[in-house]
Amino acid sequence: MTDHSSDPPARPAPSSAPVGQAMWGGRFSGKPAELMQAINVSIGFDRRLAPQDLAGSSAHAAMLQSVGVISSEDAAAIQGGLQQIEAEIAAGTFPFREEFEDIHMNVEARLRELIGPAAGRLHTARSRNDQVALDFRMWVREACERSLGQVQALQLALLAKAEAHADAVMPGFTHLQPAQPVTFGHHLMAYVEMFGRDATRFQDAALRMNESPLGAAALAGSPFPIDRQMTAAALGFARPTANSLDSVADRDFALEALAAATICATHLSRLAEEIVIWMTPQFGFIKLSDAFTTGSSIMPQKKNPDAAELVRAKVGRLLGSFTQLTVVMKGLPLTYSKDMQEDKVPTFEAFDALELSLLAMAGMVGDLEPNREKMAAAAGAGYSTATDLADWLVRELDLPFRDAHHITGAAVKQAEAAGVALGDLPLAKLQGLDNRITAAVYEVLTPQASVASRKSYGGTAPDQVRAQVARWKELLG
Ligand code: ARG
């Protein structure tokens, strides 16, 4: 159906060909089937590359003029036309037309309408292959930079909450079982670290992709005396790519950005899950205002953490996008294949979802209010200071940790049987386990004392938390 080369050569002139085909239809005598158009057309989604396409074309035209490939009159006409197109897009009047397939040919076709035949000179020493590689790379670079800014805004929101609640005790969990008391500030700062690594992943990805593929042309480079350094510099790239085949075939820059985005989304999903858990009446650790919750149409008492739940779910889209593009790229022979047109939708969708998630999460974090009393009460439950008792036995009585662990286990068993907290077990009971235990032990059995004692670097003691907040404030300042 699509093999036009087998069409009889003596068909009517290309004047009957659809407009889009006029761009490349010199050797074609038949029209593409309607279905061919339907599967081929990408303007519906690649119109998002318009700003990058215009910037790339402008830099290319300036370079062609500077090396003497096109006249200054033609270059001026091209630049003027590109500016007008930019204005039309901004005003919403630019005609995005399916018959011109994609954004590149839509821009060129409009340019021809505006400035006449000089438009045809813009495509000298260029192909849609390096053009789309350039546009998409610039889009992904900007998406990484935007994500970086949004991650940092979220980190600032977390920092503010962490500082305000550096000393608020809460249970720290392993296996979602109460483990040892920590502070709410410390818990939030754990996410500041995770998002900090996400930020550097976006930075690294943006840095690694920062080479311009423009000038690779179709795949082999150009016979014209083009200046690739010039276009690279004009478009903010560190340098031109060094292999023309790689330039048009590579999409690993997008894969890397999607991987970074997916990892970031998993961090968002974990925090979202904690917000959901903390908001249940059973936990009651935090309150979210009406801004990020919804009610139920049947149960009047309900306040549901929908925004958190949606952030928790969005990672599915992100991973789906990463998977999609990986599967598109795997096994593709060098260099460009039309398969690669399928790179854009998943990438756009992924970054749209990430952006919404990051903004919503920053909003929720700024909005949430911890219930310090409830968290403190829960921090003392579940024999959470058992390790503190064992550590006291090691420190004060010089017991080997294993023996201290055993004695503490017996104390927990007795407290459980008596239905009391560890700190409410009578001294006589404790002395029954080792008669050298004194009343001083009770000082380490409160959650406050427990967290205050964990002063090791990176530990949960409020002073350590404040020190980390200060370090991050400086880093992000
Ligand atoms: N719309 C195409 C894409 O997104 C542009 C490149 C087309 N190149 C080609 N040789 N057909 O991949």
Side-chain angles (χ1 to χ4, degrees):
M1 173 172 71
T2 55
D3 187 9
H4 304 289
S5 60
S6 64
D7 289 344
R11 282 273 188 85
S15 58
S16 69
V19 253
Q21 201 180 9
M23 295 287 194
W24 43 255
R27 65 159 298 187
F28 287 76
S29 42
K31 295 202 264 184
E34 259 175 52
L35 270 175
M36 176 59 209
Q37 286 236 45
I39 195 171
N40 204 28
V41 69
S42 60
I43 189 63
F45 50 87
D46 66 16
R47 54 191 286 168
R48 285 182 74 164
L49 297 177
Q52 292 77 15
D53 201 70
L54 291 171
S57 289
S58 173
H60 185 64
M63 182 278 291
L64 289 179
Q65 183 207 337
S66 136
V67 300
V69 171
I70 62 174
S71 69
S72 45
E73 295 75 43
D74 285 346
I78 290 171
Q79 298 293 3
L82 292 173
Q83 275 167 20
Q84 183 162 343
I85 291 173
E86 192 178 1
E88 288 180 357
I89 288 173
T93 57
F94 182 84
F96 290 101
R97 288 168 286 190
E98 293 217 327
E99 61 262 36
F100 294 119
E101 252 182 74
D102 59 21
I103 184 63
H104 323 295
M105 296 204 295
N106 265 273
V107 168
E108 193 182 323
R110 182 71 186 136
L111 192 62
R112 185 179 296 272
E113 288 166 4
L114 292 172
I115 69 166
R121 299 198 182 274
L122 173 59
H123 215 51
T124 317
R126 188 176 76 168
S127 150
R128 274 191 295 157
N129 294 351
D130 60 339
Q131 200 178 351
V132 74
L134 172 74
D135 294 1
F136 191 42
R137 202 180 271 244
M138 290 203 289
W139 192 94
V140 175
R141 184 178 65 178
E142 282 165 37
C144 284
E145 282 156 8
R146 213 167 37 243
S147 300
L148 173 65
Q150 288 159 353
V151 166
Q152 289 175 338
L154 172 57
Q155 285 183 293
L156 287 172
L158 286 162
L159 275 181
K161 281 287 147 168
E163 186 168 37
H165 302 287
D167 59 352
V169 291
M170 70 178 279
F173 298 91
T174 61
H175 313 268
L176 199 53
Q177 300 289 326
Q180 292 173 351
V182 296
T183 70
F184 188 57
H186 194 51
H187 195 113
L188 296 181
M189 288 304 290
Y191 284 101
V192 170
E193 294 290 334
M194 290 177 239
F195 291 123
R197 291 191 294 276
D198 290 331
T200 59
R201 269 185 278 273
F202 287 123
Q203 275 168 332
D204 287 352
L207 206 66
R208 207 171 350 267
M209 74 180 73
N210 204 24
E211 296 183 341
S212 168
L214 187 60
L219 76 165
S222 173
F224 292 95
I226 55 173
D227 184 347
R228 296 192 58 211
Q229 311 282 346
M230 180 180 169
T231 44
L235 295 167
F237 289 97
R239 64 193 81 84
T241 48
N243 181 294
S244 63
L245 304 178
D246 175 48
S247 309
V248 295
D250 157 48
R251 291 295 181 271
D252 65 43
F253 63 86
L255 284 175
E256 186 173 4
L258 288 174
T262 304
I263 296 171
C264 180
T266 63
H267 291 152
L268 286 166
S269 185
R270 296 182 77 169
L271 178 53
E273 165 70 351
E274 301 214 274
I275 289 175
V276 170
I277 293 177
W278 293 340
M279 260 195 74
T280 59
Q282 287 75 10
F283 271 74
F285 284 5
I286 59 163
K287 258 209 190 80
L288 264 188
S289 79
D290 297 349
F292 290 99
T293 50
T294 63
S296 154
S297 54
I298 180 169
M299 299 165 282
Q301 84 285 9
K302 292 272 273 185
K303 197 162 170 178
N304 296 324
D306 296 40
E309 293 168 288
L310 289 164
V311 170
R312 184 172 60 184
K314 291 280 186 206
V315 63
R317 284 191 195 225
L318 274 287
L319 180 58
S321 294
F322 177 66
T323 309
Q324 271 185 56
L325 186 54
T326 304
V327 174
V328 166
M329 295 310 296
K330 93 159 264 307
L332 278 189
L334 300 188
T335 55
Y336 178 86
S337 295
K338 198 60 175 266
D339 307 50
M340 289 158 73
Q341 180 164 287
E342 293 288 313
D343 56 3
K344 291 165 208 63
V345 170
T347 307
F348 293 160
E349 275 184 3
F351 277 95
D352 287 347
L354 183 69
E355 172 162 359
L356 256 182
S357 301
L358 284 167
L359 295 174
M361 185 54 86
M364 279 188 282
V365 168
D367 197 50
L368 65 83
E369 269 316 315
N371 183 333
R372 295 172 64 115
E373 294 70 41
K374 255 197 126 157
M375 288 197 308
Y383 315 105
S384 63
T385 54
T387 318
D388 299 276
L389 173 54
D391 288 345
W392 187 90
L393 295 171
V394 169
R395 244 183 359 256
E396 302 298 324
L397 307 185
D398 198 25
L399 287 179
F401 184 78
R402 276 291 150 235
D403 298 351
H405 185 285
H406 188 77
I407 291 174
T408 305
V412 167
K413 199 169 170 190
Q414 291 195 9
E416 204 169 27
V420 298
L422 217 43
D424 295 327
L425 208 58
L427 185 59
K429 290 265 190 201
L430 288 172
Q431 286 174 336
L433 299 170
D434 187 310
N435 60 12
R436 291 170 299 167
I437 296 177
T438 68
V441 75
Y442 290 107
E443 283 165 29
V444 304
L445 297 183
T446 66
Q448 285 77 10
S450 173
V451 298
S453 73
R454 290 190 156 67
K455 295 193 188 79
S456 53
Y457 180 80
T460 196
D463 285 346
Q464 280 299 323
V465 174
R466 288 188 192 103
Q468 292 300 330
V469 168
R471 182 175 72 86
W472 271 106
K473 271 190 168 172
E474 193 146 319
L475 281 173
L476 292 171

